[in-house]
Amino acid sequence: MHIIDAQIHLWAGESAPPHHWRAPYTVETALRDMDEAGVHRAVNCPAVWDADANDYAVEAAKQHPDRFATLGWFPLDETADESRVDAWLDKPGMLGLRFMLAAPDMADRIASGDLDWLWAAADRRKAPMGIMVLPPYLAAVGDVAARYPNMRLLIDHLAVNPFEKLPDAAAHLDALLALARHPNIAVKATAVPSMATDAYPFASTHGVLRQVFDAYGAQRMFWGTDITRLHCSWREAVTMFTEELPWLRGRDLELVMGRAVADWIGWH
């Protein structure tokens, strides 16, 4: 089985937010850890806290095109326009974009229409677009998906607040499941152990995963880690899915563990 992590962060600088405790996380460290865990490839979402992370991502993809691909970002400031999308997607290994829209001032721009130029640019290019968004803005994400059906959205971490534990972490689950009616929305089942209230195999999260799987199916639910903030091993994050979910087997397991995200972002 070819295993692809749907979200990691690579960066070489020393700075990082406190909850990303494995810092820095370099290409060399990631390759070592991936080999130990049996992870073949990883989708790199360059660290937003490191100004050089996008350039580092390009070098990682150039040097190891069979191991790393990138969903990059650029500042969504007053200078941002559609030409930035073209420039970014022309970079080596850059298969799509990913933006942090969790802070209220950024998330409000989803509903206001202020980012419609970005969605339209991705829609015209049929490009994958990752977003980190929190529960209050899921309905607005659904509206965007309906208006731009060619854009392939990926919602980070099941829209779970990274600082919450169950049951609060899944209080929004109905809203997330409702978005499954949009065929251009997929979800990353990334960083799942971080919301668990118990130790490996994190059984407290298994019911949530089953509900998401039943709604989105194997082709739109992607396994991954966000490894730099997990306090379990990468191998445990793998076997939690491959060995501890009896309802996830066969082709469905292969899809969730990598084949589906490769198809979604065009990493062939």
Side-chain angles (χ1 to χ4, degrees):
M1 180 167 52
H2 201 74
I3 297 178
I4 303 174
D5 195 317
Q7 181 169 326
I8 68 168
H9 303 294
L10 297 176
W11 76 101
E14 295 295 328
S15 64
H19 61 295
H20 281 273
W21 64 275
R22 307 179 199 227
Y25 203 65
T26 64
V27 168
E28 294 75 20
T29 302
L31 289 172
R32 181 201 66 202
D33 292 350
M34 290 164 66
D35 289 344
E36 290 178 356
V39 175
H40 299 93
R41 293 194 264 170
V43 181
N44 177 26
C45 298
V48 297
W49 53 85
D50 189 316
D52 297 321
N54 274 303
D55 291 337
Y56 193 63
V58 169
E59 289 306 311
K62 286 169 62 176
Q63 294 173 19
H64 305 280
D66 56 336
R67 306 301 299 273
F68 300 115
T70 310
L71 298 182
W73 60 274
F74 51 81
L76 293 174
D77 56 23
E78 64 278 359
T79 67
D81 58 27
E82 187 171 336
S83 67
R84 300 289 294 276
V85 176
D86 287 326
W88 236 245
L89 294 180
D90 282 343
K91 295 176 181 290
M94 198 76 64
L95 299 183
L97 300 170
R98 181 252 181 185
F99 294 98
M100 289 273 294
L101 302 175
D105 60 328
M106 289 301 299
D108 287 341
R109 298 175 70 183
I110 303 174
S112 71
D114 188 53
L115 296 177
D116 281 359
W117 65 269
L118 179 63
W119 316 133
D123 189 72
R124 281 191 286 273
R125 293 157 182 79
K126 298 183 179 180
M129 177 72 70
I131 56 173
M132 182 172 177
V133 63
L134 295 183
Y137 301 93
L138 287 175
V141 171
D143 292 341
V144 168
R147 288 189 289 122
Y148 300 100
N150 294 318
M151 177 176 57
R152 299 193 303 279
L153 283 164
L154 304 86
I155 297 178
D156 288 5
H157 316 320
L158 305 180
V160 170
N161 186 317
F163 304 105
E164 288 189 341
K165 300 287 186 183
L166 292 170
D168 293 344
H172 67 287
L173 191 57
D174 287 346
L176 182 69
L177 301 183
L179 292 184
R181 69 181 183 273
H182 300 285
N184 58 331
I185 293 181
V187 291
K188 301 179 192 174
T190 43
V192 171
S194 69
M195 67 173 168
T197 56
D198 48 2
Y200 180 87
F202 313 113
S204 60
T205 70
H206 294 187
V208 173
L209 290 172
R210 183 59 190 267
Q211 291 182 71
V212 174
F213 177 82
D214 287 346
Y216 284 87
Q219 294 182 318
R220 292 192 291 143
M221 183 176 105
F222 312 141
W223 169 84
T225 62
D226 203 15
I227 190 62
T228 47
R229 68 178 173 91
L230 293 189
H231 290 273
C232 65
S233 72
W234 212 331
R235 185 61 188 166
E236 287 175 324
V238 170
T239 58
M240 171 193 174
F241 277 64
T242 60
E243 298 178 8
E244 303 295 341
L245 302 178
W247 43 268
L248 188 59
R249 291 290 181 265
R251 177 168 171 76
D252 285 346
L253 179 62
E254 291 183 4
L255 285 165
V256 169
M257 296 304 294
R259 185 179 298 276
V261 73
D263 289 342
W264 196 261
I265 68 174
W267 192 10
H268 303 300

